[in-house]
Structure formats: structure tokens, C-alpha cells
Amino acid sequence: DGCGRFEGTYDFLLTQRGGLQPYLEGNCVWQNVPAALLCSCLTDITAGLRVRYDITRNFSPYLGIEFVRNTGGTVGLRRAAGEPVEDTRFVLGVRTFF
């Protein structure tokens, strides 16, 4: 059993403190997990866009939107269970690091 994740982002500076960050993420599993409605494959892809304001170098609140879409055999499992295969989410958070 196992799973994996890939992620890519790019920062566009709009001002010295503000930025725009498009991103793309994906999740994979290496074996079927029917109880979790996951099929062995690339299970979903998320594409999003965040607007960020850097209060300090290490503290940046952001607001964004992301679009999530299931892929591969996972779509069939989710549809058979009456679950949606795509979603749009608004996100609000803080980017911080030490």
C-alpha cells in the first residue's frame, strides 16, 4: 500500500508585499481502496489561485479559490456511491514558516 502527492506553485509579485500564487496538486494511490472510494491511479487533481499579503517575511494571510476533480477509476467509484466528482472551494489561510 502507498500513496503519493505532487505539487507545483509559482509566485507572481504584484507589489512588494502582495502576490498571486497559482498552484496545481495531484494525489495518487498504488492500490484500490474501495472503502475510501479510491482506485489505483491518479485519484484527483486540484488547481487553484491564491492572493497573498506578506505582513512579515514569515507570516502571510491568503484568500483563494480551488477547483478539485477526481480522475481515473476513482470517478466511477464515487459516482456509483452517489458522491460528487468535482468541487469548487474557497480557501482562507495563513502561510508561515520558521
Side-chain angles (χ1 to χ4, degrees):
D1 55 320
C3 59
R5 177 184 196 121
F6 67 86
E7 179 177 324
T9 64
Y10 191 82
D11 286 331
F12 294 100
L13 293 179
L14 302 175
T15 67
Q16 291 209 358
R17 290 188 175 254
L20 189 63
Q21 182 184 50
Y23 61 95
L24 184 66
E25 300 174 353
N27 293 298
C28 306
V29 294
W30 284 276
Q31 72 178 33
N32 293 336
V33 187
L37 301 177
L38 297 173
C39 191
S40 175
C41 62
L42 176 64
T43 60
D44 63 82
I45 295 175
T46 302
L49 186 64
R50 293 179 182 159
V51 177
R52 179 186 81 248
Y53 183 76
D54 299 333
I55 294 174
T56 67
R57 276 192 181 274
N58 299 335
F59 186 80
S60 305
Y62 63 83
L63 176 65
I65 187 168
E66 62 185 24
F67 305 98
V68 181
R69 172 83 166 123
N70 292 107
T71 60
T74 300
V75 171
L77 289 176
R78 292 186 62 82
R79 283 190 177 141
E83 297 289 328
V85 295
E86 55 187 30
D87 192 15
T88 300
R89 305 175 190 157
F90 292 98
V91 293
L92 175 67
V94 175
R95 183 179 82 161
T96 185
F97 54 94
F98 302 94

Coordinates of all heavy atoms in Angstrom, one line a residue:
D1 N 0.8 -1.2 0.0 CA 0.0 0.0 0.0 C 0.9 1.2 0.0 O 2.0 1.2 0.5 CB -1.0 0.0 1.2 CG -0.3 -0.2 2.5 OD1 0.7 -1.0 2.6 OD2 -0.7 0.5 3.5
G2 N 0.4 2.3 -0.6 CA 1.1 3.5 -0.6 C 0.3 4.6 -1.4 O -0.6 4.3 -2.0
C3 N 0.8 5.8 -1.2 CA 0.2 6.9 -1.9 C 1.3 8.0 -2.2 O 2.4 7.9 -1.6 CB -0.9 7.5 -1.1 SG -0.4 8.1 0.5
G4 N 1.0 8.9 -3.0 CA 1.9 9.9 -3.4 C 1.2 11.2 -3.7 O 0.0 11.2 -3.9
R5 N 1.9 12.3 -3.7 CA 1.3 13.6 -4.0 C 2.4 14.4 -4.7 O 3.5 14.4 -4.4 CB 1.0 14.3 -2.6 CG 0.4 15.6 -2.8 CD 0.2 16.3 -1.4 NE -0.7 17.4 -1.7 CZ -1.8 17.6 -1.1 NH1 -2.3 16.7 -0.3 NH2 -2.6 18.6 -1.4
F6 N 1.9 15.2 -5.7 CA 2.8 16.1 -6.4 C 2.1 17.5 -6.2 O 0.9 17.6 -6.1 CB 3.0 15.8 -7.8 CG 1.8 15.9 -8.7 CD1 1.5 17.1 -9.3 CD2 1.1 14.7 -9.0 CE1 0.4 17.2 -10.1 CE2 0.0 14.8 -9.8 CZ -0.4 16.0 -10.4
E7 N 3.0 18.5 -6.3 CA 2.5 19.9 -6.1 C 3.4 20.8 -6.8 O 4.7 20.7 -6.8 CB 2.5 20.1 -4.6 CG 2.1 21.5 -4.1 CD 2.1 21.6 -2.6 OE1 1.7 20.6 -1.9 OE2 2.4 22.6 -2.1
G8 N 2.9 21.8 -7.4 CA 3.7 22.9 -8.1 C 3.1 24.2 -7.9 O 1.8 24.3 -8.0
T9 N 3.9 25.2 -7.6 CA 3.4 26.6 -7.4 C 4.3 27.6 -8.1 O 5.4 27.2 -8.4 CB 3.3 27.0 -5.9 OG1 4.6 27.0 -5.4 CG2 2.4 26.0 -5.1
Y10 N 3.8 28.8 -8.3 CA 4.6 29.8 -8.8 C 4.1 31.1 -8.2 O 2.9 31.3 -8.1 CB 4.6 29.9 -10.3 CG 5.6 30.8 -10.9 CD1 6.9 30.4 -11.1 CD2 5.3 32.1 -11.2 CE1 7.9 31.2 -11.6 CE2 6.2 33.0 -11.7 CZ 7.5 32.5 -11.9 OH 8.5 33.4 -12.4
D11 N 5.0 32.0 -7.8 CA 4.6 33.3 -7.2 C 4.8 34.4 -8.1 O 5.9 34.6 -8.7 CB 5.5 33.5 -5.9 CG 5.1 32.7 -4.7 OD1 3.9 32.3 -4.7 OD2 5.9 32.4 -3.9
F12 N 3.8 35.2 -8.3 CA 3.9 36.4 -9.1 C 3.8 37.6 -8.1 O 2.8 37.7 -7.4 CB 2.7 36.6 -10.1 CG 2.8 35.6 -11.2 CD1 2.0 34.4 -11.1 CD2 3.6 35.7 -12.3 CE1 2.0 33.5 -12.1 CE2 3.6 34.8 -13.3 CZ 2.8 33.7 -13.2
L13 N 4.8 38.4 -8.0 CA 4.7 39.6 -7.1 C 3.9 40.7 -7.8 O 4.2 41.1 -8.9 CB 6.1 40.1 -6.7 CG 6.9 39.1 -5.9 CD1 8.3 39.7 -5.6 CD2 6.2 38.8 -4.6
L14 N 2.8 41.2 -7.1 CA 2.0 42.2 -7.6 C 2.5 43.6 -7.0 O 2.5 44.6 -7.7 CB 0.6 42.0 -7.2 CG 0.0 40.7 -7.8 CD1 -1.5 40.5 -7.2 CD2 0.0 40.7 -9.3
T15 N 2.9 43.6 -5.8 CA 3.5 44.7 -5.1 C 4.7 44.1 -4.3 O 4.9 42.9 -4.3 CB 2.5 45.4 -4.1 OG1 2.2 44.5 -3.1 CG2 1.2 45.8 -4.9
Q16 N 5.3 45.0 -3.5 CA 6.4 44.5 -2.6 C 5.9 43.5 -1.5 O 6.6 42.7 -1.1 CB 7.2 45.6 -2.0 CG 8.0 46.4 -3.1 CD 9.2 47.0 -2.5 OE1 9.5 46.9 -1.3 NE2 10.0 47.6 -3.3
R17 N 4.6 43.7 -1.2 CA 4.1 42.8 -0.1 C 3.0 41.9 -0.6 O 2.6 40.9 0.1 CB 3.5 43.7 1.0 CG 4.6 44.3 1.8 CD 4.0 45.0 3.0 NE 5.1 45.6 3.8 CZ 5.5 45.1 5.0 NH1 4.9 44.0 5.5 NH2 6.4 45.6 5.7
G18 N 2.4 42.1 -1.8 CA 1.3 41.3 -2.2 C 1.7 40.4 -3.4 O 2.6 40.7 -4.2
G19 N 1.1 39.2 -3.5 CA 1.4 38.3 -4.5 C 0.2 37.5 -4.9 O -0.8 37.4 -4.2
L20 N 0.4 36.9 -6.1 CA -0.6 36.0 -6.7 C 0.1 34.6 -6.9 O 1.2 34.6 -7.4 CB -1.1 36.5 -8.0 CG -2.2 35.9 -8.7 CD1 -3.5 36.0 -7.9 CD2 -2.5 36.6 -10.1
Q21 N -0.6 33.5 -6.4 CA 0.1 32.2 -6.5 C -0.9 31.2 -7.1 O -1.8 30.7 -6.5 CB 0.4 31.8 -5.1 CG 1.1 30.4 -5.1 CD 1.4 30.0 -3.6 OE1 0.5 30.0 -2.8 NE2 2.6 29.6 -3.4
P22 N -0.7 30.9 -8.4 CA -1.4 29.7 -9.0 C -0.7 28.4 -8.5 O 0.5 28.4 -8.3 CB -1.2 29.9 -10.5 CG 0.0 30.8 -10.6 CD 0.1 31.6 -9.4
Y23 N -1.5 27.4 -8.4 CA -0.9 26.1 -8.0 C -1.6 24.9 -8.6 O -2.8 25.0 -9.0 CB -0.8 26.0 -6.5 CG -2.1 26.0 -5.7 CD1 -2.8 24.9 -5.4 CD2 -2.7 27.2 -5.4 CE1 -4.0 24.9 -4.7 CE2 -3.8 27.3 -4.7 CZ -4.5 26.1 -4.4 OH -5.7 26.2 -3.7
L24 N -1.0 23.8 -8.6 CA -1.5 22.5 -9.1 C -1.1 21.4 -8.2 O 0.1 21.3 -7.9 CB -1.0 22.3 -10.6 CG -1.6 21.1 -11.3 CD1 -3.1 21.3 -11.6 CD2 -0.9 20.9 -12.6
E25 N -2.0 20.6 -7.8 CA -1.7 19.4 -6.9 C -2.4 18.2 -7.5 O -3.4 18.3 -8.1 CB -2.2 19.7 -5.5 CG -1.7 20.9 -4.8 CD -2.4 21.2 -3.5 OE1 -3.4 20.5 -3.1 OE2 -1.9 22.1 -2.8
G26 N -1.8 17.0 -7.2 CA -2.4 15.8 -7.5 C -2.1 14.7 -6.5 O -1.1 14.8 -5.8
N27 N -3.0 13.8 -6.4 CA -2.8 12.7 -5.4 C -2.9 11.3 -6.2 O -3.7 11.2 -7.1 CB -3.9 12.7 -4.4 CG -3.8 13.9 -3.4 OD1 -2.8 14.0 -2.8 ND2 -4.7 14.8 -3.5
C28 N -2.1 10.4 -5.8 CA -2.1 9.0 -6.4 C -2.1 8.0 -5.3 O -1.6 8.2 -4.2 CB -0.7 8.8 -7.1 SG -0.3 10.0 -8.3
V29 N -2.7 6.8 -5.6 CA -2.6 5.7 -4.7 C -2.2 4.5 -5.5 O -2.4 4.4 -6.7 CB -4.0 5.4 -4.0 CG1 -4.3 6.4 -3.0 CG2 -5.1 5.1 -4.9
W30 N -1.5 3.5 -4.9 CA -0.9 2.4 -5.6 C -1.7 1.1 -5.5 O -1.4 0.1 -6.0 CB 0.5 2.2 -5.2 CG 1.4 3.2 -5.8 CD1 2.0 3.1 -7.1 CD2 1.8 4.4 -5.3 NE1 2.7 4.2 -7.3 CE2 2.6 5.1 -6.2 CE3 1.6 5.1 -4.1 CZ2 3.2 6.3 -6.0 CZ3 2.2 6.3 -3.9 CH2 3.0 6.9 -4.8
Q31 N -2.9 1.2 -4.8 CA -3.7 0.0 -4.7 C -5.2 0.5 -4.5 O -5.4 1.6 -4.0 CB -3.4 -0.9 -3.6 CG -3.7 -0.4 -2.2 CD -3.3 -1.5 -1.1 OE1 -2.3 -2.2 -1.3 NE2 -4.0 -1.5 0.0
N32 N -6.1 -0.3 -4.9 CA -7.5 0.1 -4.8 C -7.9 0.1 -3.3 O -7.5 -0.8 -2.5 CB -8.4 -0.9 -5.5 CG -8.3 -0.9 -7.0 OD1 -7.8 0.2 -7.5 ND2 -8.6 -1.9 -7.6
V33 N -8.7 1.1 -2.9 CA -9.2 1.3 -1.5 C -10.7 1.6 -1.7 O -11.1 2.8 -1.5 CB -8.5 2.4 -0.7 CG1 -8.9 2.4 0.7 CG2 -7.0 2.2 -0.8
P34 N -11.5 0.6 -2.0 CA -12.9 0.9 -2.2 C -13.7 1.5 -1.1 O -14.5 2.3 -1.3 CB -13.5 -0.5 -2.5 CG -12.3 -1.4 -2.9 CD -11.2 -0.8 -2.2
A35 N -13.3 1.2 0.2 CA -13.9 1.8 1.3 C -13.7 3.3 1.3 O -14.6 4.1 1.8 CB -13.4 1.2 2.6
A36 N -12.6 3.8 0.8 CA -12.3 5.2 0.7 C -12.7 5.8 -0.6 O -12.4 7.0 -0.9 CB -10.9 5.5 1.0
L37 N -13.3 5.0 -1.5 CA -13.7 5.4 -2.9 C -12.5 5.9 -3.7 O -12.5 6.8 -4.4 CB -14.8 6.6 -2.8 CG -16.1 6.2 -2.1 CD1 -17.0 7.4 -2.1 CD2 -16.8 5.0 -2.7
L38 N -11.4 5.1 -3.6 CA -10.2 5.4 -4.3 C -9.8 4.2 -5.2 O -9.8 3.1 -4.7 CB -9.0 5.7 -3.3 CG -9.2 6.9 -2.5 CD1 -8.0 7.0 -1.5 CD2 -9.3 8.2 -3.3
C39 N -9.4 4.5 -6.4 CA -9.0 3.4 -7.3 C -7.5 3.7 -7.6 O -7.0 4.8 -7.5 CB -9.7 3.6 -8.6 SG -9.5 2.2 -9.7
S40 N -6.7 2.6 -7.8 CA -5.3 2.6 -8.0 C -5.0 3.5 -9.3 O -5.1 3.0 -10.4 CB -4.8 1.2 -8.2 OG -3.4 1.3 -8.5
C41 N -4.6 4.7 -9.1 CA -4.3 5.6 -10.2 C -4.0 7.0 -9.6 O -4.0 7.2 -8.4 CB -5.4 5.7 -11.2 SG -7.0 6.3 -10.5
L42 N -4.0 8.0 -10.5 CA -4.1 9.4 -10.1 C -5.5 9.6 -9.7 O -6.4 9.5 -10.5 CB -3.7 10.3 -11.3 CG -3.8 11.8 -11.1 CD1 -2.8 12.3 -10.0 CD2 -3.5 12.5 -12.4
T43 N -5.7 9.9 -8.4 CA -7.1 10.0 -7.9 C -7.8 11.3 -8.1 O -9.0 11.4 -8.3 CB -7.2 9.6 -6.4 OG1 -6.3 10.5 -5.7 CG2 -6.7 8.1 -6.2
D44 N -7.0 12.4 -8.0 CA -7.6 13.7 -8.1 C -6.6 14.8 -8.5 O -5.4 14.6 -8.2 CB -8.4 14.1 -6.9 CG -7.5 14.3 -5.7 OD1 -6.8 15.3 -5.5 OD2 -7.4 13.3 -4.9
I45 N -7.0 15.8 -9.1 CA -6.2 17.0 -9.4 C -6.9 18.2 -8.8 O -8.1 18.4 -9.0 CB -6.0 17.1 -10.9 CG1 -5.3 15.9 -11.5 CG2 -5.3 18.4 -11.3 CD1 -5.2 15.9 -13.0
T46 N -6.1 19.1 -8.2 CA -6.6 20.4 -7.7 C -5.8 21.5 -8.4 O -4.6 21.5 -8.4 CB -6.4 20.5 -6.2 OG1 -7.0 19.4 -5.6 CG2 -6.9 21.8 -5.6
A47 N -6.5 22.5 -8.9 CA -5.9 23.7 -9.5 C -6.5 24.9 -8.7 O -7.7 24.9 -8.4 CB -6.2 23.8 -11.0
G48 N -5.6 25.8 -8.4 CA -6.1 26.9 -7.6 C -5.3 28.2 -7.8 O -4.3 28.2 -8.5
L49 N -5.9 29.2 -7.2 CA -5.3 30.6 -7.3 C -5.4 31.2 -5.9 O -6.6 31.3 -5.4 CB -5.9 31.4 -8.4 CG -5.3 32.7 -8.7 CD1 -3.9 32.6 -9.2 CD2 -6.2 33.4 -9.7
R50 N -4.3 31.8 -5.3 CA -4.4 32.4 -4.1 C -3.8 33.8 -4.2 O -2.8 34.1 -4.9 CB -3.5 31.7 -3.0 CG -4.1 30.4 -2.7 CD -3.2 29.7 -1.6 NE -3.7 28.4 -1.3 CZ -3.0 27.4 -0.8 NH1 -1.7 27.5 -0.6 NH2 -3.6 26.2 -0.6
V51 N -4.4 34.8 -3.5 CA -3.9 36.1 -3.4 C -3.4 36.3 -1.9 O -4.1 35.9 -1.0 CB -5.0 37.2 -3.6 CG1 -4.5 38.6 -3.4 CG2 -5.6 37.0 -5.0
R52 N -2.1 36.7 -1.8 CA -1.4 36.7 -0.5 C -0.9 38.1 -0.2 O -0.6 38.9 -1.1 CB -0.3 35.8 -0.6 CG 0.6 35.7 0.6 CD 1.8 34.8 0.3 NE 2.9 35.6 -0.4 CZ 3.3 35.4 -1.6 NH1 2.7 34.5 -2.4 NH2 4.2 36.1 -2.2
Y53 N -0.9 38.5 1.1 CA -0.3 39.7 1.6 C 0.7 39.4 2.6 O 0.4 38.8 3.7 CB -1.4 40.7 2.1 CG -0.8 42.0 2.5 CD1 -0.5 42.9 1.6 CD2 -0.6 42.3 3.8 CE1 0.1 44.1 1.9 CE2 0.0 43.5 4.2 CZ 0.3 44.4 3.3 OH 0.9 45.6 3.6
D54 N 2.0 39.8 2.4 CA 3.0 39.5 3.3 C 3.1 40.6 4.4 O 3.6 41.7 4.2 CB 4.4 39.5 2.6 CG 4.4 38.4 1.5 OD1 3.7 37.4 1.7 OD2 5.2 38.6 0.6
I55 N 2.6 40.2 5.6 CA 2.7 41.1 6.8 C 4.1 41.2 7.2 O 4.7 42.3 7.5 CB 1.7 40.7 7.9 CG1 0.3 40.8 7.4 CG2 2.0 41.5 9.1 CD1 -0.8 40.3 8.3
T56 N 4.7 40.0 7.3 CA 6.2 39.9 7.6 C 6.7 38.8 6.6 O 5.9 38.2 5.9 CB 6.5 39.5 9.0 OG1 6.1 38.1 9.2 CG2 5.9 40.4 10.0
R57 N 8.0 38.6 6.5 CA 8.5 37.6 5.6 C 8.0 36.2 6.0 O 7.8 35.3 5.1 CB 10.0 37.5 5.7 CG 10.7 38.5 4.9 CD 12.2 38.1 4.9 NE 13.0 39.0 4.1 CZ 13.2 38.9 2.8 NH1 12.6 37.9 2.2 NH2 13.9 39.7 2.1
N58 N 7.7 36.0 7.2 CA 7.3 34.6 7.7 C 5.8 34.5 8.0 O 5.3 33.5 8.5 CB 8.0 34.3 9.0 CG 9.5 34.2 8.7 OD1 10.0 34.0 7.6 ND2 10.3 34.4 9.7
F59 N 5.0 35.5 7.7 CA 3.6 35.5 8.1 C 2.8 36.2 7.0 O 2.8 37.4 6.8 CB 3.3 36.2 9.4 CG 1.9 36.1 9.9 CD1 1.5 34.9 10.5 CD2 1.0 37.1 9.7 CE1 0.2 34.8 11.0 CE2 -0.3 37.0 10.2 CZ -0.7 35.8 10.8
S60 N 2.0 35.4 6.2 CA 1.3 35.9 5.0 C -0.1 35.3 5.0 O -0.3 34.1 4.6 CB 2.0 35.6 3.8 OG 3.3 36.0 3.8
P61 N -1.2 36.1 5.3 CA -2.5 35.5 5.1 C -2.9 35.5 3.6 O -2.3 36.3 2.8 CB -3.4 36.5 5.9 CG -2.6 37.7 6.1 CD -1.2 37.3 6.0
Y62 N -3.8 34.6 3.2 CA -4.2 34.5 1.8 C -5.6 34.1 1.7 O -6.3 33.6 2.6 CB -3.3 33.4 1.1 CG -3.5 32.0 1.6 CD1 -4.5 31.2 1.2 CD2 -2.5 31.5 2.5 CE1 -4.6 29.9 1.6 CE2 -2.6 30.2 2.9 CZ -3.7 29.4 2.5 OH -3.8 28.1 2.9
L63 N -6.2 34.4 0.5 CA -7.5 34.1 0.2 C -7.5 33.6 -1.2 O -6.7 34.0 -2.1 CB -8.4 35.4 0.2 CG -9.8 35.4 -0.3 CD1 -10.6 34.5 0.7 CD2 -10.4 36.8 -0.4
G64 N -8.3 32.5 -1.5 CA -8.2 31.9 -2.8 C -9.4 31.1 -3.2 O -10.3 31.0 -2.4
I65 N -9.3 30.5 -4.3 CA -10.3 29.6 -4.9 C -9.5 28.4 -5.5 O -8.4 28.5 -6.0 CB -11.2 30.3 -5.9 CG1 -12.3 29.4 -6.3 CG2 -10.4 30.7 -7.1 CD1 -13.4 30.1 -7.1
E66 N -10.1 27.2 -5.3 CA -9.5 26.0 -5.9 C -10.6 25.1 -6.5 O -11.8 25.1 -6.1 CB -8.7 25.2 -4.9 CG -9.4 24.7 -3.7 CD -8.5 24.0 -2.7 OE1 -7.3 24.3 -2.7 OE2 -8.9 23.1 -2.0
F67 N -10.2 24.4 -7.6 CA -11.1 23.5 -8.3 C -10.5 22.1 -8.2 O -9.4 21.9 -8.5 CB -11.2 23.9 -9.8 CG -11.6 25.3 -10.0 CD1 -10.7 26.3 -10.2 CD2 -13.0 25.7 -9.9 CE1 -11.1 27.7 -10.3 CE2 -13.3 27.0 -10.0 CZ -12.4 28.0 -10.3
V68 N -11.4 21.2 -7.7 CA -10.9 19.8 -7.5 C -11.7 18.9 -8.4 O -12.9 19.0 -8.5 CB -11.2 19.4 -6.0 CG1 -10.7 17.9 -5.8 CG2 -10.5 20.3 -5.0
R69 N -11.0 17.9 -9.0 CA -11.7 17.0 -10.0 C -11.0 15.6 -9.8 O -9.8 15.5 -9.8 CB -11.4 17.5 -11.4 CG -11.9 16.5 -12.5 CD -13.3 16.6 -12.8 NE -13.7 15.9 -14.0 CZ -14.6 15.0 -14.1 NH1 -15.2 14.6 -13.0 NH2 -14.8 14.4 -15.2
N70 N -11.9 14.6 -9.5 CA -11.4 13.3 -9.4 C -11.1 12.7 -10.8 O -11.7 13.2 -11.8 CB -12.5 12.4 -8.8 CG -12.6 12.7 -7.3 OD1 -13.6 13.2 -6.9 ND2 -11.7 12.4 -6.5
T71 N -10.2 11.8 -10.9 CA -9.8 11.2 -12.2 C -9.8 9.7 -12.2 O -9.9 9.1 -11.1 CB -8.4 11.7 -12.5 OG1 -7.5 11.3 -11.5 CG2 -8.3 13.2 -12.6
G72 N -9.6 9.1 -13.4 CA -9.5 7.7 -13.5 C -10.6 6.9 -12.9 O -11.8 7.3 -13.0
G73 N -10.3 5.7 -12.4 CA -11.3 4.8 -11.9 C -12.0 5.3 -10.6 O -13.1 4.9 -10.3
T74 N -11.4 6.3 -10.0 CA -12.0 6.9 -8.8 C -13.3 7.6 -9.2 O -14.3 7.6 -8.4 CB -11.0 7.9 -8.2 OG1 -9.8 7.2 -7.8 CG2 -11.6 8.6 -6.9
V75 N -13.4 8.1 -10.4 CA -14.7 8.8 -10.8 C -15.8 7.8 -10.8 O -16.9 8.1 -10.3 CB -14.5 9.4 -12.2 CG1 -15.8 9.8 -12.8 CG2 -13.5 10.5 -12.2
G76 N -15.6 6.6 -11.3 CA -16.6 5.5 -11.3 C -17.1 5.1 -9.9 O -18.2 5.0 -9.7
L77 N -16.1 4.9 -9.0 CA -16.4 4.5 -7.7 C -17.2 5.6 -7.0 O -18.2 5.3 -6.3 CB -15.1 4.3 -6.9 CG -14.3 3.1 -7.2 CD1 -13.0 3.0 -6.4 CD2 -15.1 1.8 -6.9
R78 N -16.8 6.9 -7.2 CA -17.6 8.0 -6.5 C -19.0 8.1 -7.1 O -19.9 8.4 -6.3 CB -16.8 9.3 -6.6 CG -15.5 9.2 -5.7 CD -14.7 10.5 -5.7 NE -15.5 11.6 -5.1 CZ -15.6 11.8 -3.8 NH1 -15.0 11.0 -2.9 NH2 -16.3 12.8 -3.3
R79 N -19.1 8.0 -8.4 CA -20.4 8.2 -9.0 C -21.3 7.0 -8.6 O -22.5 7.2 -8.3 CB -20.3 8.2 -10.5 CG -19.9 9.5 -11.0 CD -20.0 9.6 -12.5 NE -19.6 11.0 -12.9 CZ -18.9 11.2 -14.0 NH1 -18.5 10.3 -14.8 NH2 -18.6 12.5 -14.3
A80 N -20.8 5.8 -8.5 CA -21.6 4.7 -8.0 C -22.1 4.8 -6.6 O -23.2 4.3 -6.2 CB -20.8 3.4 -8.2
A81 N -21.3 5.5 -5.8 CA -21.7 5.8 -4.4 C -22.5 7.0 -4.2 O -22.9 7.4 -3.1 CB -20.4 5.9 -3.5
G82 N -22.8 7.7 -5.3 CA -23.6 8.9 -5.3 C -22.8 10.2 -4.8 O -23.4 11.1 -4.4
E83 N -21.5 10.1 -4.9 CA -20.7 11.2 -4.4 C -20.3 12.1 -5.6 O -20.2 11.6 -6.7 CB -19.4 10.6 -3.8 CG -19.6 9.8 -2.5 CD -20.0 10.7 -1.4 OE1 -19.6 11.8 -1.3 OE2 -20.8 10.2 -0.5
P84 N -20.1 13.4 -5.4 CA -19.6 14.3 -6.5 C -18.2 14.0 -6.9 O -17.4 13.5 -6.1 CB -19.7 15.7 -5.9 CG -19.6 15.5 -4.4 CD -20.2 14.1 -4.1
V85 N -17.9 14.3 -8.2 CA -16.5 14.0 -8.7 C -15.8 15.3 -8.9 O -14.6 15.3 -9.3 CB -16.6 13.2 -10.0 CG1 -17.1 11.8 -9.8 CG2 -17.3 13.9 -11.1
E86 N -16.4 16.5 -8.7 CA -15.7 17.7 -8.8 C -16.3 18.7 -7.7 O -17.4 18.5 -7.3 CB -15.7 18.3 -10.2 CG -17.1 18.5 -10.8 CD -17.0 18.9 -12.2 OE1 -16.1 18.6 -12.9 OE2 -18.0 19.6 -12.6
D87 N -15.5 19.7 -7.4 CA -15.8 20.6 -6.3 C -15.1 21.9 -6.5 O -14.0 21.9 -7.0 CB -15.5 20.0 -5.0 CG -16.1 20.7 -3.8 OD1 -17.0 21.5 -4.0 OD2 -15.6 20.5 -2.7
T88 N -15.7 23.0 -6.1 CA -15.1 24.3 -6.1 C -15.1 24.8 -4.6 O -16.1 24.7 -4.0 CB -15.9 25.3 -7.0 OG1 -15.9 24.8 -8.3 CG2 -15.2 26.6 -6.9
R89 N -13.9 25.2 -4.2 CA -13.8 25.6 -2.8 C -13.2 27.0 -2.7 O -12.3 27.3 -3.5 CB -12.9 24.7 -2.0 CG -13.3 23.2 -2.1 CD -12.2 22.4 -1.4 NE -12.5 21.0 -1.6 CZ -11.5 20.1 -1.6 NH1 -10.3 20.4 -1.3 NH2 -11.8 18.8 -1.8
F90 N -13.6 27.8 -1.7 CA -12.9 29.0 -1.4 C -12.0 28.7 -0.2 O -12.4 28.0 0.7 CB -14.0 30.1 -1.0 CG -14.7 30.5 -2.2 CD1 -16.0 30.0 -2.4 CD2 -14.2 31.4 -3.1 CE1 -16.7 30.4 -3.6 CE2 -14.9 31.8 -4.2 CZ -16.2 31.3 -4.5
V91 N -10.8 29.2 -0.2 CA -9.9 28.9 0.9 C -9.4 30.2 1.5 O -9.3 31.3 0.9 CB -8.6 28.1 0.3 CG1 -9.1 26.7 -0.1 CG2 -7.9 28.8 -0.8
L92 N -9.1 30.1 2.8 CA -8.6 31.2 3.6 C -7.6 30.6 4.5 O -7.9 29.6 5.2 CB -9.8 31.9 4.4 CG -9.5 33.0 5.3 CD1 -9.0 34.2 4.6 CD2 -10.7 33.3 6.1
G93 N -6.5 31.2 4.6 CA -5.4 30.6 5.5 C -4.3 31.6 5.7 O -4.3 32.8 5.3
V94 N -3.2 31.0 6.3 CA -2.0 31.8 6.6 C -0.8 30.9 6.2 O -0.8 29.7 6.5 CB -1.9 32.1 8.1 CG1 -0.6 32.7 8.5 CG2 -3.1 32.9 8.6
R95 N 0.1 31.5 5.4 CA 1.3 30.8 5.1 C 2.4 31.3 6.1 O 2.6 32.5 6.3 CB 1.7 31.2 3.7 CG 3.0 30.5 3.2 CD 3.3 30.9 1.8 NE 4.0 32.1 1.8 CZ 4.8 32.6 0.8 NH1 4.9 31.8 -0.3 NH2 5.4 33.7 0.9
T96 N 3.0 30.4 6.7 CA 4.0 30.7 7.7 C 5.1 29.7 7.7 O 4.9 28.5 7.3 CB 3.4 30.8 9.1 OG1 4.4 31.3 10.0 CG2 2.8 29.5 9.6
F97 N 6.3 30.1 8.0 CA 7.4 29.2 8.1 C 8.5 29.7 9.1 O 8.4 30.9 9.4 CB 8.1 28.9 6.7 CG 8.5 30.1 6.0 CD1 9.8 30.6 6.0 CD2 7.6 30.8 5.2 CE1 10.2 31.7 5.3 CE2 8.0 31.9 4.4 CZ 9.3 32.3 4.5
F98 N 9.3 28.9 9.5 CA 10.4 29.3 10.5 C 11.7 29.1 10.0 O 12.0 28.3 9.2 CB 10.2 28.4 11.8 CG 8.8 28.5 12.4 CD1 7.8 27.6 12.1 CD2 8.5 29.6 13.3 CE1 6.6 27.7 12.6 CE2 7.3 29.7 13.8 CZ 6.3 28.8 13.5

